[in-house]
Amino acid sequence: MLPIELQKYTSRIKGLDKDAMERARIRQDNLAKPPGSLGMLEDIAITLAGIGGGLYYDTNKRCVIVMSADNGVVEEGVSSAPQSVTYAQTVNMSRGLTGVAVIAKQFGADLIVVDMGVNADIQSPLIKNHKIRKSTFNIARREAMTYDEALTAILTGIETAVHAVNDGYTMLGAGEMGIGNTTTSTAVLCALTGIEPERAAGKGGGLTEDAYERKLKVIRAALYKNKPDPRDPVDVLSKVGGFDLAAMAGVFLGGAYMRVPVVIDGFISMVAALLAARLCPAAEAFMFASHSSFEPGFLHAANALGKKPCLNLGMRLGEGSGCPLMFAVIDAACAVMKNMATFEEARIDDGYLDEIRRGDCFTVANV
């Protein structure tokens, strides 16, 4: 049973509009192209119809919500970067100087930067202050946070998404900034799915072999010591997660509650999306995966969630940097749905497709 504060939102997350999706499928089938020839763009357009309830979805105003927080597990030497980078890059995001900030600007997206638990005092009107406290605890030695803190972080993410939609945003992305959060995300993924750390853990921003072995040892120790309950995602977050991860899970829930698409970035974002889906399975339908991550655990998380990323660019930055790229892909799907001519409008007799439509005439069997 979910806490009542979460049920307030999750109980109101409903499925996609099937009638609108069927109308969208019919339009896609009548556009002047071979059936299915635009692949995932067609699937995206149909899903957006289910989200919005009409053939055409407005994606003009979009933002990436970046949750920033520090993780006490960095004490164990699991990251190549010092903890101070979390503070520096959180501030730099608000100044438009980081990877996600530059890419977002290029594709007409805004940034909402939120301090969930940076281990420093931040005084900036450009950064939302929802700091729970300065950093989680070291999961190798104790639970990351209390159950109530985990719940507060999730609810903060939900409310941030709700406020964004109320401000006119119709498409969201979920990003993060937090040194050490590939370790906490891997621990959460292992707790939720039961896979071994060796199959899920990567080298994050870069680690020597010795440091990587230490990271594996730390994750195993955290899982053994804290014993997160996979049946309760809030418990998992409280024991081995992070404020950033919990708040991102809330963004996915808040987007689904407000019936807008939410884009998944890389590994950490995908784990947050999986957490959200475990809290409310109906929220999964509102999620769109952007790019494949370099982290080994990414595909395990994506498969557990049932999401296939659209892009494979070898990216491993995080921050939400894949979200603006996916916004552009979604724009393309919407443009096709709205502006491409049907066979009738193009004055093309589509009878030549009758035989093709009766079966798969595209797959080559011996390839």
Side-chain angles (χ1 to χ4, degrees):
M1 179 71 71
L2 290 179
I4 191 167
E5 300 96 326
L6 276 181
Q7 290 184 48
K8 169 186 172 183
Y9 295 102
T10 58
S11 64
R12 298 179 184 178
I13 297 175
K14 306 302 180 185
L16 302 182
D17 185 328
K18 301 300 183 183
D19 290 339
M21 293 177 74
E22 182 58 26
R23 294 195 301 272
R25 285 192 189 92
I26 292 171
R27 177 164 176 79
Q28 286 288 341
D29 288 344
N30 283 292
L31 294 179
K33 58 180 175 56
S37 59
L38 285 176
M40 294 178 73
L41 293 181
E42 298 184 22
D43 299 333
I44 290 168
I46 291 168
T47 301
L48 288 173
I51 290 173
L55 284 180
Y56 312 122
Y57 191 88
D58 179 7
T59 62
N60 284 335
K61 191 173 183 183
R62 55 282 197 90
C63 69
V64 183
I65 299 174
V66 181
M67 297 299 185
S68 294
D70 275 304
N71 301 276
V73 73
V74 296
E75 296 172 356
E76 302 296 324
V78 296
S79 175
S80 61
Q83 189 177 76
S84 58
V85 171
T86 302
Y87 165 76
Q89 287 295 77
T90 298
V91 173
N92 285 331
M93 281 180 189
S94 70
R95 297 170 62 198
L97 301 177
T98 69
V100 65
V102 170
I103 298 171
K105 182 178 180 181
Q106 179 65 30
F107 289 98
D110 295 328
L111 280 188
I112 296 175
V113 184
V114 184
D115 175 8
M116 293 299 303
V118 178
N119 193 19
D121 294 317
I122 299 178
Q123 303 294 332
S124 171
L126 302 177
I127 298 171
K128 294 183 180 295
N129 181 12
H130 292 294
K131 193 192 300 284
I132 293 175
R133 57 180 160 84
K134 292 180 179 180
S135 179
T136 55
F137 298 120
N138 182 351
I139 61 172
R141 301 175 185 271
R142 60 181 293 186
E143 296 175 359
M145 64 191 88
T146 68
Y147 196 92
D148 284 346
E149 285 174 332
L151 183 59
T152 297
I154 296 169
L155 291 169
T156 299
I158 292 174
E159 291 159 5
T160 300
V162 169
H163 290 156
V165 177
N166 285 336
D167 285 341
Y169 290 102
T170 58
M171 186 161 55
L172 310 177
E176 43 64 40
M177 184 62 232
I179 299 303
N181 61 11
T182 61
T183 298
T184 52
S185 297
T186 301
V188 167
L189 176 62
C190 292
L192 290 176
T193 65
I195 67 171
E196 294 297 319
E198 290 80 1
R199 297 176 59 200
K203 293 188 176 182
L207 290 175
T208 64
E209 283 301 318
D210 286 346
Y212 175 63
E213 290 300 323
R214 186 162 56 248
K215 181 176 180 177
L216 290 175
K217 183 178 179 180
V218 165
I219 294 168
R220 286 193 294 265
L223 293 169
Y224 178 79
K225 182 177 182 63
N226 296 315
K227 296 178 174 53
D229 182 356
R231 297 166 299 181
D232 183 353
V234 182
D235 182 75
V236 171
L237 278 165
S238 70
K239 290 178 175 175
V240 296
F243 297 138
D244 49 356
L245 194 61
M248 291 168 72
V251 170
F252 288 109
L253 293 173
Y257 172 78
M258 296 298 286
R259 299 195 69 82
V260 300
V262 188
V263 172
I264 303 165
D265 181 33
F267 172 58
I268 297 156
S269 189
M270 184 65 78
V271 174
L274 178 60
L275 277 163
R278 293 291 174 89
L279 288 165
C280 179
E284 175 272 326
F286 297 82
M287 304 174 188
F288 294 80
S290 59
H291 67 97
S292 292
S293 168
F294 222 69
E295 287 289 299
F298 175 83
L299 288 179
H300 293 288
N303 289 337
L305 186 58
K307 292 296 177 183
K308 182 178 179 181
C310 287
L311 305 170
N312 187 359
L313 302 172
M315 292 174 64
R316 53 184 181 273
L317 175 61
E319 299 183 4
S321 54
C323 296
L325 299 172
M326 188 61 189
F327 292 164
V329 173
I330 293 173
D331 284 344
C334 292
V336 167
M337 176 66 89
K338 186 174 183 180
N339 299 320
M340 190 172 176
T342 63
F343 282 104
E344 182 179 0
E345 291 165 344
R347 299 180 181 180
I348 297 173
D349 182 353
D350 65 343
Y352 72 96
L353 291 173
D354 289 346
E355 186 173 351
I356 292 175
R357 286 170 173 155
R358 285 193 286 268
D360 182 0
C361 292
F362 302 99
T363 303
V364 179
N366 62 351
V367 173

